[in-house]
Amino acid sequence: MTTGDVPLLERLAQLPAVPVSEVLGLLQALAAPGQDPVVGPLFGTDDEGDATVNPLLPAVLQQFQGRQDLTCYAALLEGLTGIWNAAVRAAVVARLRATGLPQDDLLIRLQALSPTLGFASAEGREWAREWLADPFTQDALLVQQCIVRALLALRGMAEARAEALTREPDRGSPNRE
């Protein structure tokens, strides 16, 4: 099996653990973060030409700083999981609504389906009612935040991979890339 045959998440899991705390340093070290192909869309300029950042970026970076043990790989998985759960919630609700279930029956059915969808917990009942009233508003911000999280995590991991690829190979041992 060649490296290209290994699924992406397996290849990423084989990288050295990169603490998410290093992502802030990486962003500060980028000469022009707005020109970076991965995180560049998180930066911009306003009508007066002043630098701006996506309002979710500081929130995600603050979350990263609050979790010293978090690695970029774990942050990537958390981001992908959040997006996945939002997508599954939307698909399940669309299918159940298409059957004509009344709102209360729909909520009961959703609570029984899967704990990972967020409908099953007792403290989540009010959230579930709010979500059912307006799924787009409830999950859109979550999905956007998860995308920012995933982009930052991938960029941090890519920096570690770039370091490994550009490091001088040991003398006398073949480069096994």
Side-chain angles (χ1 to χ4, degrees), residues 6-128:
V6 178
L8 175 63
L9 288 178
E10 284 184 38
R11 285 186 280 154
L12 293 176
Q14 293 171 9
L15 289 173
V18 178
V20 293
S21 58
E22 291 184 16
V23 173
L24 181 57
L26 167 65
L27 291 176
Q28 292 171 338
L30 291 173
Q35 295 179 1
D36 186 270
V38 177
V39 297
L42 301 175
F43 299 88
T45 56
D46 62 17
D47 294 337
E48 288 83 39
D50 295 324
T52 62
V53 297
N54 181 304
L56 295 173
L57 180 60
V60 171
L61 289 173
Q62 187 175 19
Q63 289 173 359
F64 281 3
Q65 288 176 334
R67 296 181 59 197
Q68 296 301 319
D69 61 328
L70 184 65
T71 65
C72 286
Y73 184 74
L76 173 64
L77 292 180
E78 287 175 1
L80 292 174
T81 300
I83 294 166
W84 173 252
N85 286 343
V88 172
R89 273 193 296 271
V92 166
V93 168
R95 284 175 176 260
L96 292 177
R97 279 194 171 143
T99 67
L101 275 176
Q103 188 80 351
D104 286 340
D105 291 345
L106 179 63
L107 184 57
I108 291 169
R109 182 88 184 270
L110 288 169
Q111 289 170 336
L113 287 178
S114 172
T116 61
L117 294 180
F119 295 114
S121 68
E123 57 275 354
R125 284 195 179 116
E126 186 57 36
W127 172 84

Side-chain angles (χ1 to χ4, degrees), residues 97-160:
R97 279 194 171 143
T99 67
L101 275 176
Q103 188 80 351
D104 286 340
D105 291 345
L106 179 63
L107 184 57
I108 291 169
R109 182 88 184 270
L110 288 169
Q111 289 170 336
L113 287 178
S114 172
T116 61
L117 294 180
F119 295 114
S121 68
E123 57 275 354
R125 284 195 179 116
E126 186 57 36
W127 172 84
R129 288 188 188 287
E130 291 174 11
W131 190 92
L132 284 171
D134 186 6
F136 175 80
T137 300
Q138 297 299 321
D139 272 348
L141 184 60
L142 167 70
V143 169
Q144 291 172 16
Q145 186 178 26
C146 287
I147 289 170
V148 170
R149 175 183 291 273
L151 290 175
L152 292 174
L154 281 170
R155 187 60 177 88
M157 294 175 76
E159 197 63 29

